[in-house]
Amino acid sequence: MTNLGFTVEQKDCLQEIINVAMGLASDKLARFLNTFVHLQVPSIALVGANHIPAEFSGRYADTEAALVSQGFFGDEGVRGEAIVLYKMDNAHRIAELLGYEPGDSSEIEMLTDISSVLTTTFLNGLAQQIENSLSYSAPRILSSRHGNLSDVLQSTSFHWEHALKVDISYQLVDHSFNCDMILLIPDVAVSRIKVILDRILEEF
Amino acid sequence: MDHSWLSHPILARLNSGVIVIDDEYRIVFLNHFIERHASMALAEVAQQSLFEVFPDLPEAWLKRKLMSVLDLQSPAFSSWEQRQYIFKLPHLRPITSSSQYMAQNCTMLPLLDESTQQNFICILVEDATDAFVYQQHLSKTLIELEKANRQDGLTKVLNRRYWEEQLKQEIHRAQRYQHPLSLILFDLDKFKDLNDKYGHLGGDFVLIELSSLIGSLLRDSDLLGRYGGEEFGIVLPDTNGQGAMDVAERIRKAIADHPMLFNQQTIRVTLSIGVAELDPHHHLLHDDLIREADMALYNAKRNGRNRVCQFETKAVSRKLAQS
């Protein structure tokens, strides 16, 4: 695993920014979902995007998995693709979580809805701290019950150079809910983030 | 240069719908696209509830979505792939599309009026009918392609390649779960004479007619396939030799008793049928089972045609083992 040229200080700073973004997201989510949301401090890792399929195919090998992708783009070359991975045994909890009535909506629609909420609240928090603002493409489900997750990840991550892995574990009072989030980002965005991190470190 | 004058003409000419509502879901703005498609004027519906103006909206679901936009100040989306449309609007391709309503991609964006600090939601409605129609054609074509790939072109029963694949799978299943399985092979008697007398069209007609008649005598789980020329096979899952003999006899009789009318001439045909039962303890290959059914079929031919024969050695050896 490579640190892609991040210094120790830069990496600590990024971790801190992500912690704060996660805190903002959990606060918003708690209010939205009307339940206490406990978010563990996410562990992050920067890896080459080509490592992603191997890392995740193991974890989701013996279960049905779903993968939802959503593009994001902001100013000054900050852009990428956010991927949220779920184990499908989680899926039936999502309706409860979102407060949907049975029959309101299909399983796929619920997955794209919850993914969009998780991705945009988290990334909005992140953007706010690096003084950027983001637009989003509509979430798309890339794989659900059928098909090999690692193949899908392969074809998705192929277009990107780097991946920021963020392990997110949401614990809600009445539900526990786990998923993985991966941010796939190109070289230019990584350089941009480094510049921003250095600026924050200087100000600090 | 001041660009603010641009927004009005662009909104008016935009080929997508723009609806703005306030934080109590009251309509603040509709662009021409929505006014024209929904046959309503902004002046008439302004300040009315979105859900009263569009009574077909999925209210509970959409309110939850709109609430997320307000609470989280982040966008929400809806795709035609999951929900064909939110707003029930006619589309512009009534002839080429099988669907009556415009397929839509919708985006719900948070808006803030800086001067009053009031929150609004902008709903963008994109016409995705083209994509929807292409997708429908594609799904239909894929289904037809898949069917063509497993069907015999003339008789519409399974083709040989697919039928043999299914036979292998059924044998595997029967062996694993220790279920009986039988195979029928049958052959149209004196097919060459038939072709000489009525021409190849007459021969083809008979093959089509008997395939459809036999198909109607089988269960859904039985697999009828064209093995070659005038030879057909039927895989009978969960059926022992005696059961298969009964089915075969029913088929033989039905065909023999069924005169076919071709070009004002009555054609009568008969079948010779061979039956073989899988012995799950002897791990038979599918070729072995076909060979046994083929030998039984040969016996039916040799014994005078229009009859059913069962492959016998297993029964004989079983009797020998008992004595």
Side-chain angles (χ1 to χ4, degrees), chain A residues 28 32 70 98 100 104-105 108-109 112-113 116-117 120-121 124 136-140, chain B residues 60-61 64-65 67-69 71-79 81-83 106-107:
Chain A
K28 280 183 166 183
F32 177 60
Q70 195 164 13
L98 284 170
Y100 283 174
D104 257 2
S105 153
I108 287 178
E109 190 169 41
T112 51
D113 281 358
S116 186
V117 166
T120 57
T121 46
N124 278 351
Y136 302 93
S137 69
R140 274 193 65 82
Chain B
W61 171 84
R64 187 77 182 131
K65 276 262 245 241
M67 213 190 296
S68 83
V69 176
D71 286 358
L72 306 173
Q73 287 294 302
S74 60
F77 302 88
S78 169
S79 160
E81 286 175 278
Q82 278 92 56
R83 191 176 289 266
C106 294
T107 309

mmCIF file of all heavy atoms in Angstrom, chain A residues 28 32 70 98 100 104-105 108-109 112-113 116-117 120-121 124 136-140, chain B residues 60-61 64-65 67-69 71-79 81-83 106-107:
data_model
loop_
_atom_site.group_PDB
_atom_site.id
_atom_site.type_symbol
_atom_site.label_atom_id
_atom_site.label_comp_id
_atom_site.label_asym_id
_atom_site.label_seq_id
_atom_site.Cartn_x
_atom_site.Cartn_y
_atom_site.Cartn_z
ATOM 1 N N LYS A 28 -26.146 15.629 10.979
ATOM 2 C CA LYS A 28 -27.250 15.850 10.043
ATOM 3 C C LYS A 28 -28.111 14.600 9.900
ATOM 4 O O LYS A 28 -29.340 14.662 9.871
ATOM 5 C CB LYS A 28 -26.700 16.218 8.666
ATOM 6 C CG LYS A 28 -26.287 17.671 8.552
ATOM 7 C CD LYS A 28 -25.820 17.935 7.140
ATOM 8 C CE LYS A 28 -25.726 19.432 6.854
ATOM 9 N NZ LYS A 28 -25.346 19.687 5.473
ATOM 10 N N PHE A 32 -32.028 13.948 10.632
ATOM 11 C CA PHE A 32 -32.870 13.506 9.529
ATOM 12 C C PHE A 32 -33.555 12.176 9.838
ATOM 13 O O PHE A 32 -34.735 11.980 9.564
ATOM 14 C CB PHE A 32 -32.015 13.380 8.267
ATOM 15 C CG PHE A 32 -32.776 12.851 7.081
ATOM 16 C CD1 PHE A 32 -33.873 13.531 6.580
ATOM 17 C CD2 PHE A 32 -32.393 11.673 6.470
ATOM 18 C CE1 PHE A 32 -34.570 13.051 5.493
ATOM 19 C CE2 PHE A 32 -33.081 11.182 5.384
ATOM 20 C CZ PHE A 32 -34.176 11.875 4.897
ATOM 21 N N GLN A 70 -21.649 7.334 -7.373
ATOM 22 C CA GLN A 70 -22.136 8.701 -7.564
ATOM 23 C C GLN A 70 -20.935 9.604 -7.860
ATOM 24 O O GLN A 70 -19.979 9.643 -7.088
ATOM 25 C CB GLN A 70 -22.862 9.168 -6.300
ATOM 26 C CG GLN A 70 -23.699 10.407 -6.510
ATOM 27 C CD GLN A 70 -24.700 10.624 -5.376
ATOM 28 O OE1 GLN A 70 -24.612 9.990 -4.326
ATOM 29 N NE2 GLN A 70 -25.634 11.519 -5.585
ATOM 30 N N LEU A 98 -34.989 4.733 6.616
ATOM 31 C CA LEU A 98 -35.430 5.915 5.876
ATOM 32 C C LEU A 98 -36.862 6.293 6.210
ATOM 33 O O LEU A 98 -37.342 7.336 5.798
ATOM 34 C CB LEU A 98 -35.331 5.658 4.365
ATOM 35 C CG LEU A 98 -33.937 5.698 3.758
ATOM 36 C CD1 LEU A 98 -33.967 5.183 2.333
ATOM 37 C CD2 LEU A 98 -33.387 7.122 3.782
ATOM 38 N N TYR A 100 -39.520 4.631 5.193
ATOM 39 C CA TYR A 100 -40.404 4.360 4.063
ATOM 40 C C TYR A 100 -41.472 3.356 4.461
ATOM 41 O O TYR A 100 -41.218 2.429 5.221
ATOM 42 C CB TYR A 100 -39.616 3.769 2.886
ATOM 43 C CG TYR A 100 -38.807 4.777 2.104
ATOM 44 C CD1 TYR A 100 -37.955 4.352 1.100
ATOM 45 C CD2 TYR A 100 -38.904 6.138 2.362
ATOM 46 C CE1 TYR A 100 -37.198 5.254 0.371
ATOM 47 C CE2 TYR A 100 -38.161 7.047 1.636
ATOM 48 C CZ TYR A 100 -37.308 6.606 0.643
ATOM 49 O OH TYR A 100 -36.577 7.494 -0.074
ATOM 50 N N ASP A 104 -43.575 1.448 -0.815
ATOM 51 C CA ASP A 104 -43.308 2.790 -1.314
ATOM 52 C C ASP A 104 -42.307 2.786 -2.452
ATOM 53 O O ASP A 104 -42.335 3.624 -3.337
ATOM 54 C CB ASP A 104 -42.699 3.641 -0.181
ATOM 55 C CG ASP A 104 -43.705 4.587 0.404
ATOM 56 O OD1 ASP A 104 -44.850 4.532 -0.042
ATOM 57 O OD2 ASP A 104 -43.340 5.361 1.298
ATOM 58 N N SER A 105 -41.412 1.841 -2.368
ATOM 59 C CA SER A 105 -40.227 2.003 -3.165
ATOM 60 C C SER A 105 -39.501 0.665 -3.283
ATOM 61 O O SER A 105 -39.608 -0.177 -2.417
ATOM 62 C CB SER A 105 -39.422 3.071 -2.436
ATOM 63 O OG SER A 105 -38.105 2.996 -2.639
ATOM 64 N N ILE A 108 -33.838 -1.390 -4.838
ATOM 65 C CA ILE A 108 -32.780 -0.656 -5.540
ATOM 66 C C ILE A 108 -32.932 0.840 -5.316
ATOM 67 O O ILE A 108 -31.966 1.562 -5.099
ATOM 68 C CB ILE A 108 -32.808 -0.996 -7.048
ATOM 69 C CG1 ILE A 108 -32.266 -2.399 -7.257
ATOM 70 C CG2 ILE A 108 -32.010 0.007 -7.859
ATOM 71 C CD1 ILE A 108 -32.293 -2.850 -8.692
ATOM 72 N N GLU A 109 -34.169 1.298 -5.345
ATOM 73 C CA GLU A 109 -34.399 2.727 -5.123
ATOM 74 C C GLU A 109 -33.998 3.130 -3.706
ATOM 75 O O GLU A 109 -33.391 4.177 -3.502
ATOM 76 C CB GLU A 109 -35.871 3.053 -5.370
ATOM 77 C CG GLU A 109 -36.142 4.535 -5.389
ATOM 78 C CD GLU A 109 -37.537 4.857 -5.886
ATOM 79 O OE1 GLU A 109 -38.477 4.139 -5.517
ATOM 80 O OE2 GLU A 109 -37.678 5.828 -6.650
ATOM 81 N N THR A 112 -30.205 3.389 -3.605
ATOM 82 C CA THR A 112 -29.668 4.614 -4.198
ATOM 83 C C THR A 112 -30.007 5.814 -3.315
ATOM 84 O O THR A 112 -29.197 6.722 -3.173
ATOM 85 C CB THR A 112 -30.201 4.842 -5.629
ATOM 86 O OG1 THR A 112 -31.613 4.739 -5.628
ATOM 87 C CG2 THR A 112 -29.633 3.845 -6.604
ATOM 88 N N ASP A 113 -31.181 5.807 -2.681
ATOM 89 C CA ASP A 113 -31.555 6.918 -1.799
ATOM 90 C C ASP A 113 -30.615 7.031 -0.607
ATOM 91 O O ASP A 113 -30.099 8.108 -0.315
ATOM 92 C CB ASP A 113 -32.994 6.740 -1.288
ATOM 93 C CG ASP A 113 -34.022 7.144 -2.336
ATOM 94 O OD1 ASP A 113 -33.609 7.590 -3.416
ATOM 95 O OD2 ASP A 113 -35.229 7.006 -2.070
ATOM 96 N N SER A 116 -27.111 8.103 -1.631
ATOM 97 C CA SER A 116 -27.045 9.512 -1.972
ATOM 98 C C SER A 116 -26.984 10.359 -0.702
ATOM 99 O O SER A 116 -26.201 11.310 -0.607
ATOM 100 C CB SER A 116 -28.266 9.865 -2.810
ATOM 101 O OG SER A 116 -28.178 11.172 -3.273
ATOM 102 N N VAL A 117 -27.789 9.989 0.295
ATOM 103 C CA VAL A 117 -27.797 10.723 1.561
ATOM 104 C C VAL A 117 -26.427 10.628 2.247
ATOM 105 O O VAL A 117 -25.843 11.622 2.667
ATOM 106 C CB VAL A 117 -28.920 10.199 2.489
ATOM 107 C CG1 VAL A 117 -28.729 10.695 3.906
ATOM 108 C CG2 VAL A 117 -30.286 10.623 1.960
ATOM 109 N N THR A 120 -23.599 12.445 -0.083
ATOM 110 C CA THR A 120 -23.653 13.904 -0.211
ATOM 111 C C THR A 120 -23.483 14.602 1.151
ATOM 112 O O THR A 120 -22.822 15.636 1.220
ATOM 113 C CB THR A 120 -24.965 14.376 -0.872
ATOM 114 O OG1 THR A 120 -26.067 13.894 -0.117
ATOM 115 C CG2 THR A 120 -25.068 13.889 -2.293
ATOM 116 N N THR A 121 -24.000 14.024 2.233
ATOM 117 C CA THR A 121 -23.787 14.681 3.533
ATOM 118 C C THR A 121 -22.313 14.637 3.907
ATOM 119 O O THR A 121 -21.752 15.635 4.367
ATOM 120 C CB THR A 121 -24.599 14.031 4.684
ATOM 121 O OG1 THR A 121 -24.449 12.629 4.611
ATOM 122 C CG2 THR A 121 -26.050 14.407 4.628
ATOM 123 N N ASN A 124 -20.298 16.910 1.363
ATOM 124 C CA ASN A 124 -20.572 18.328 1.609
ATOM 125 C C ASN A 124 -19.763 18.834 2.799
ATOM 126 O O ASN A 124 -19.219 19.936 2.775
ATOM 127 C CB ASN A 124 -22.064 18.572 1.868
ATOM 128 C CG ASN A 124 -22.868 18.671 0.576
ATOM 129 O OD1 ASN A 124 -22.292 18.718 -0.510
ATOM 130 N ND2 ASN A 124 -24.186 18.699 0.697
ATOM 131 N N TYR A 136 -23.237 16.949 -7.771
ATOM 132 C CA TYR A 136 -23.270 15.486 -7.815
ATOM 133 C C TYR A 136 -24.046 14.988 -9.017
ATOM 134 O O TYR A 136 -25.030 15.597 -9.434
ATOM 135 C CB TYR A 136 -23.937 14.931 -6.546
ATOM 136 C CG TYR A 136 -23.242 15.370 -5.290
ATOM 137 C CD1 TYR A 136 -23.651 16.507 -4.610
ATOM 138 C CD2 TYR A 136 -22.157 14.646 -4.816
ATOM 139 C CE1 TYR A 136 -22.996 16.932 -3.470
ATOM 140 C CE2 TYR A 136 -21.492 15.056 -3.666
ATOM 141 C CZ TYR A 136 -21.915 16.198 -2.996
ATOM 142 O OH TYR A 136 -21.263 16.609 -1.875
ATOM 143 N N SER A 137 -23.601 13.877 -9.537
ATOM 144 C CA SER A 137 -24.419 13.196 -10.536
ATOM 145 C C SER A 137 -25.406 12.294 -9.795
ATOM 146 O O SER A 137 -25.249 12.044 -8.598
ATOM 147 C CB SER A 137 -23.541 12.371 -11.474
ATOM 148 O OG SER A 137 -23.002 11.276 -10.775
ATOM 149 N N ALA A 138 -26.410 11.820 -10.516
ATOM 150 C CA ALA A 138 -27.383 10.937 -9.879
ATOM 151 C C ALA A 138 -26.713 9.620 -9.505
ATOM 152 O O ALA A 138 -25.823 9.154 -10.216
ATOM 153 C CB ALA A 138 -28.546 10.677 -10.826
ATOM 154 N N PRO A 139 -27.098 9.038 -8.356
ATOM 155 C CA PRO A 139 -26.504 7.756 -7.981
ATOM 156 C C PRO A 139 -26.936 6.655 -8.933
ATOM 157 O O PRO A 139 -28.067 6.656 -9.420
ATOM 158 C CB PRO A 139 -27.057 7.505 -6.572
ATOM 159 C CG PRO A 139 -28.318 8.288 -6.515
ATOM 160 C CD PRO A 139 -28.122 9.473 -7.413
ATOM 161 N N ARG A 140 -26.029 5.742 -9.207
ATOM 162 C CA ARG A 140 -26.344 4.608 -10.089
ATOM 163 C C ARG A 140 -25.952 3.326 -9.398
ATOM 164 O O ARG A 140 -24.874 3.223 -8.821
ATOM 165 C CB ARG A 140 -25.537 4.692 -11.383
ATOM 166 C CG ARG A 140 -26.172 5.541 -12.446
ATOM 167 C CD ARG A 140 -25.463 5.301 -13.760
ATOM 168 N NE ARG A 140 -25.657 3.930 -14.223
ATOM 169 C CZ ARG A 140 -26.737 3.523 -14.871
ATOM 170 N NH1 ARG A 140 -27.710 4.359 -15.140
ATOM 171 N NH2 ARG A 140 -26.843 2.273 -15.253
ATOM 172 N N ALA B 60 -46.103 10.308 -0.019
ATOM 173 C CA ALA B 60 -45.305 9.974 1.163
ATOM 174 C C ALA B 60 -43.827 9.872 0.794
ATOM 175 O O ALA B 60 -42.949 10.416 1.483
ATOM 176 C CB ALA B 60 -45.783 8.656 1.766
ATOM 177 N N TRP B 61 -43.582 9.175 -0.312
ATOM 178 C CA TRP B 61 -42.198 8.968 -0.745
ATOM 179 C C TRP B 61 -41.523 10.284 -1.119
ATOM 180 O O TRP B 61 -40.397 10.565 -0.716
ATOM 181 C CB TRP B 61 -42.207 7.998 -1.931
ATOM 182 C CG TRP B 61 -40.903 7.839 -2.621
ATOM 183 C CD1 TRP B 61 -39.882 6.998 -2.254
ATOM 184 C CD2 TRP B 61 -40.451 8.535 -3.796
ATOM 185 N NE1 TRP B 61 -38.836 7.123 -3.128
ATOM 186 C CE2 TRP B 61 -39.151 8.057 -4.081
ATOM 187 C CE3 TRP B 61 -41.021 9.493 -4.625
ATOM 188 C CZ2 TRP B 61 -38.414 8.517 -5.161
ATOM 189 C CZ3 TRP B 61 -40.281 9.960 -5.705
ATOM 190 C CH2 TRP B 61 -38.997 9.479 -5.968
ATOM 191 N N ARG B 64 -40.711 12.568 1.831
ATOM 192 C CA ARG B 64 -39.520 12.109 2.546
ATOM 193 C C ARG B 64 -38.263 12.595 1.816
ATOM 194 O O ARG B 64 -37.303 13.039 2.436
ATOM 195 C CB ARG B 64 -39.557 10.574 2.590
ATOM 196 C CG ARG B 64 -38.491 9.950 3.428
ATOM 197 C CD ARG B 64 -38.810 10.064 4.914
ATOM 198 N NE ARG B 64 -37.725 9.489 5.700
ATOM 199 C CZ ARG B 64 -37.160 10.115 6.725
ATOM 200 N NH1 ARG B 64 -37.578 11.305 7.089
ATOM 201 N NH2 ARG B 64 -36.187 9.543 7.396
ATOM 202 N N LYS B 65 -38.293 12.519 0.491
ATOM 203 C CA LYS B 65 -37.155 12.970 -0.328
ATOM 204 C C LYS B 65 -36.936 14.476 -0.178
ATOM 205 O O LYS B 65 -35.817 14.931 0.023
ATOM 206 C CB LYS B 65 -37.447 12.707 -1.804
ATOM 207 C CG LYS B 65 -37.140 11.337 -2.302
ATOM 208 C CD LYS B 65 -35.970 11.049 -2.972
ATOM 209 C CE LYS B 65 -35.417 10.644 -4.181
ATOM 210 N NZ LYS B 65 -34.689 9.424 -4.146
ATOM 211 N N MET B 67 -37.910 16.365 2.165
ATOM 212 C CA MET B 67 -37.482 16.664 3.520
ATOM 213 C C MET B 67 -35.970 16.485 3.650
ATOM 214 O O MET B 67 -35.295 17.266 4.321
ATOM 215 C CB MET B 67 -38.207 15.727 4.491
ATOM 216 C CG MET B 67 -38.520 16.339 5.842
ATOM 217 S SD MET B 67 -39.085 15.061 6.958
ATOM 218 C CE MET B 67 -40.585 14.548 6.168
ATOM 219 N N SER B 68 -35.448 15.452 2.988
ATOM 220 C CA SER B 68 -34.000 15.227 3.072
ATOM 221 C C SER B 68 -33.243 16.378 2.414
ATOM 222 O O SER B 68 -32.179 16.771 2.871
ATOM 223 C CB SER B 68 -33.609 13.885 2.440
ATOM 224 O OG SER B 68 -33.470 13.980 1.030
ATOM 225 N N VAL B 69 -33.809 16.935 1.355
ATOM 226 C CA VAL B 69 -33.148 18.055 0.688
ATOM 227 C C VAL B 69 -33.094 19.266 1.633
ATOM 228 O O VAL B 69 -32.063 19.926 1.776
ATOM 229 C CB VAL B 69 -33.886 18.437 -0.616
ATOM 230 C CG1 VAL B 69 -33.250 19.664 -1.250
ATOM 231 C CG2 VAL B 69 -33.865 17.273 -1.596
ATOM 232 N N ASP B 71 -33.503 19.240 5.088
ATOM 233 C CA ASP B 71 -32.785 18.960 6.335
ATOM 234 C C ASP B 71 -31.285 18.859 6.118
ATOM 235 O O ASP B 71 -30.494 19.318 6.933
ATOM 236 C CB ASP B 71 -33.266 17.633 6.944
ATOM 237 C CG ASP B 71 -34.646 17.775 7.574
ATOM 238 O OD1 ASP B 71 -35.169 18.896 7.555
ATOM 239 O OD2 ASP B 71 -35.178 16.766 8.062
ATOM 240 N N LEU B 72 -30.906 18.177 5.056
ATOM 241 C CA LEU B 72 -29.478 17.912 4.852
ATOM 242 C C LEU B 72 -28.835 18.935 3.935
ATOM 243 O O LEU B 72 -27.632 18.947 3.776
ATOM 244 C CB LEU B 72 -29.280 16.504 4.266
ATOM 245 C CG LEU B 72 -29.908 15.342 5.038
ATOM 246 C CD1 LEU B 72 -29.777 14.040 4.267
ATOM 247 C CD2 LEU B 72 -29.241 15.199 6.398
ATOM 248 N N GLN B 73 -29.663 19.772 3.304
ATOM 249 C CA GLN B 73 -29.154 20.732 2.324
ATOM 250 C C GLN B 73 -28.264 20.033 1.288
ATOM 251 O O GLN B 73 -27.206 20.535 0.903
ATOM 252 C CB GLN B 73 -28.382 21.866 3.019
ATOM 253 C CG GLN B 73 -29.298 22.833 3.762
ATOM 254 C CD GLN B 73 -30.207 23.635 2.815
ATOM 255 O OE1 GLN B 73 -29.728 24.336 1.941
ATOM 256 N NE2 GLN B 73 -31.511 23.495 2.971
ATOM 257 N N SER B 74 -28.730 18.852 0.891
ATOM 258 C CA SER B 74 -27.990 18.155 -0.158
ATOM 259 C C SER B 74 -28.987 17.655 -1.196
ATOM 260 O O SER B 74 -30.170 17.489 -0.895
ATOM 261 C CB SER B 74 -27.169 17.013 0.437
ATOM 262 O OG SER B 74 -28.006 16.099 1.067
ATOM 263 N N PRO B 75 -28.546 17.436 -2.419
ATOM 264 C CA PRO B 75 -29.475 17.090 -3.489
ATOM 265 C C PRO B 75 -30.045 15.680 -3.334
ATOM 266 O O PRO B 75 -29.448 14.834 -2.675
ATOM 267 C CB PRO B 75 -28.612 17.176 -4.749
ATOM 268 C CG PRO B 75 -27.224 16.949 -4.273
ATOM 269 C CD PRO B 75 -27.154 17.534 -2.896
ATOM 270 N N ALA B 76 -31.205 15.443 -3.929
ATOM 271 C CA ALA B 76 -31.778 14.096 -3.985
ATOM 272 C C ALA B 76 -32.100 13.806 -5.447
ATOM 273 O O ALA B 76 -32.276 14.721 -6.247
ATOM 274 C CB ALA B 76 -33.029 14.020 -3.125
ATOM 275 N N PHE B 77 -32.162 12.513 -5.776
ATOM 276 C CA PHE B 77 -32.313 12.124 -7.172
ATOM 277 C C PHE B 77 -33.391 11.066 -7.336
ATOM 278 O O PHE B 77 -33.696 10.328 -6.407
ATOM 279 C CB PHE B 77 -30.988 11.546 -7.692
ATOM 280 C CG PHE B 77 -29.826 12.483 -7.575
ATOM 281 C CD1 PHE B 77 -29.062 12.516 -6.413
ATOM 282 C CD2 PHE B 77 -29.511 13.348 -8.601
ATOM 283 C CE1 PHE B 77 -27.995 13.394 -6.288
ATOM 284 C CE2 PHE B 77 -28.445 14.224 -8.488
ATOM 285 C CZ PHE B 77 -27.687 14.243 -7.324
ATOM 286 N N SER B 78 -33.942 11.017 -8.533
ATOM 287 C CA SER B 78 -34.830 9.918 -8.863
ATOM 288 C C SER B 78 -34.561 9.561 -10.319
ATOM 289 O O SER B 78 -34.475 10.431 -11.178
ATOM 290 C CB SER B 78 -36.283 10.333 -8.667
ATOM 291 O OG SER B 78 -37.133 9.354 -9.225
ATOM 292 N N SER B 79 -34.395 8.271 -10.580
ATOM 293 C CA SER B 79 -34.070 7.834 -11.938
ATOM 294 C C SER B 79 -35.222 7.053 -12.543
ATOM 295 O O SER B 79 -35.889 6.284 -11.848
ATOM 296 C CB SER B 79 -32.825 6.956 -11.888
ATOM 297 O OG SER B 79 -32.750 6.167 -13.047
ATOM 298 N N GLU B 81 -35.060 4.563 -14.197
ATOM 299 C CA GLU B 81 -34.818 3.126 -14.124
ATOM 300 C C GLU B 81 -35.469 2.512 -12.893
ATOM 301 O O GLU B 81 -35.822 1.345 -12.898
ATOM 302 C CB GLU B 81 -33.316 2.834 -14.123
ATOM 303 C CG GLU B 81 -32.706 3.038 -15.488
ATOM 304 C CD GLU B 81 -31.204 2.875 -15.470
ATOM 305 O OE1 GLU B 81 -30.513 3.835 -15.098
ATOM 306 O OE2 GLU B 81 -30.734 1.783 -15.803
ATOM 307 N N GLN B 82 -35.587 3.301 -11.812
ATOM 308 C CA GLN B 82 -36.260 2.782 -10.627
ATOM 309 C C GLN B 82 -37.716 3.226 -10.564
ATOM 310 O O GLN B 82 -38.567 2.503 -10.091
ATOM 311 C CB GLN B 82 -35.535 3.245 -9.353
ATOM 312 C CG GLN B 82 -34.339 2.400 -9.005
ATOM 313 C CD GLN B 82 -33.076 2.962 -9.609
ATOM 314 O OE1 GLN B 82 -32.730 4.114 -9.379
ATOM 315 N NE2 GLN B 82 -32.387 2.167 -10.416
ATOM 316 N N ARG B 83 -37.978 4.426 -11.009
ATOM 317 C CA ARG B 83 -39.341 4.973 -10.946
ATOM 318 C C ARG B 83 -39.531 5.700 -12.266
ATOM 319 O O ARG B 83 -38.875 6.697 -12.516
ATOM 320 C CB ARG B 83 -39.437 5.926 -9.751
ATOM 321 C CG ARG B 83 -40.825 6.361 -9.398
ATOM 322 C CD ARG B 83 -40.771 7.214 -8.129
ATOM 323 N NE ARG B 83 -40.463 6.430 -6.938
ATOM 324 C CZ ARG B 83 -41.388 5.908 -6.124
ATOM 325 N NH1 ARG B 83 -42.656 6.119 -6.342
ATOM 326 N NH2 ARG B 83 -41.023 5.199 -5.085
ATOM 327 N N CYS B 106 -35.137 12.955 -12.315
ATOM 328 C CA CYS B 106 -35.413 14.174 -11.553
ATOM 329 C C CYS B 106 -34.295 14.444 -10.552
ATOM 330 O O CYS B 106 -33.743 13.513 -9.957
ATOM 331 C CB CYS B 106 -36.732 14.060 -10.798
ATOM 332 S SG CYS B 106 -38.145 13.974 -11.910
ATOM 333 N N THR B 107 -33.971 15.706 -10.398
ATOM 334 C CA THR B 107 -32.983 16.123 -9.410
ATOM 335 C C THR B 107 -33.642 17.163 -8.518
ATOM 336 O O THR B 107 -34.297 18.075 -9.024
ATOM 337 C CB THR B 107 -31.754 16.756 -10.104
ATOM 338 O OG1 THR B 107 -31.300 15.873 -11.116
ATOM 339 C CG2 THR B 107 -30.636 17.015 -9.117
#
